[in-house]
Amino acid sequence: MLGAACLLASAGVVGQAQAAEVVVKTLNSGPGGAMVFDPAFVTLAPGDTIKLVPTDKGHNIETIKGMAPEGAPVVKTVVGKEETLTFDKPGIYGFKCSPHYLMGMVALVVVGGDRSNLEAAKAVQHGKLAQKRFDPLFAQVP
């Protein structure tokens, strides 16, 4: 279930001239190995969107507890369904594929210039494979 309907963008909102859209694919195999988001690291401006495309079925995207700015809506999309998510609140967001989190299927999204929750996001504990993938993603945070 989605924690906040306002995070889903309607077709009218996605079409705003100043907003950008980044397509993120869910893959059984891709850059970085098995069970990955492509790309796994995304930088956005406030108001930009991510279009989650279930290239390989059986995946979703869900906020990892402790890895989002204070007050940001919680995301949990339906497995195998294409979704468009709008990011209005600046900060660092960590996401997982619920069915494949133990296999290290994670992503990191940076919105705007606010890095105030970076250390809190880094402090969240993960399984071995997820942590192995988060380390190089955090290294890309500007």
Side-chain angles (χ1 to χ4, degrees), residues 7-142:
L7 195 57
L8 288 177
S10 67
V13 175
V14 174
Q16 294 176 347
Q18 72 277 12
E21 180 178 82
V22 176
V23 174
V24 174
K25 299 174 188 173
T26 60
L27 301 171
N28 293 341
S29 181
M35 303 302 168
V36 293
F37 293 102
D38 181 27
F41 181 82
V42 177
T43 303
L44 302 172
D48 287 353
T49 61
I50 288 179
K51 182 177 181 179
L52 183 68
V53 178
T55 305
D56 293 322
K57 306 298 180 201
H59 304 288
N60 77 334
I61 192 167
E62 180 179 347
T63 305
I64 297 173
K65 187 175 181 178
M67 294 188 76
E70 177 114 10
V74 174
V75 173
K76 185 172 182 181
T77 65
V78 175
V79 172
K81 184 177 178 199
E82 186 173 296
E83 304 267 3
T84 301
L85 310 168
T86 301
F87 292 82
D88 293 319
K89 189 157 182 68
I92 309 294
Y93 295 77
F95 293 105
K96 64 183 177 182
C97 168
S98 302
H100 301 106
Y101 181 46
L102 291 177
M103 297 176 75
M105 191 167 179
V106 297
L108 195 67
V109 176
V110 179
V111 180
D114 184 355
R115 307 293 183 262
S116 61
N117 71 313
L118 177 60
E119 293 309 314
K122 284 182 174 181
V124 173
Q125 298 294 304
H126 308 281
K128 186 177 181 177
L129 293 175
Q131 190 62 55
K132 184 178 179 179
R133 288 192 176 162
F134 266 128
D135 290 341
L137 297 177
F138 277 119
Q140 295 180 60
V141 175

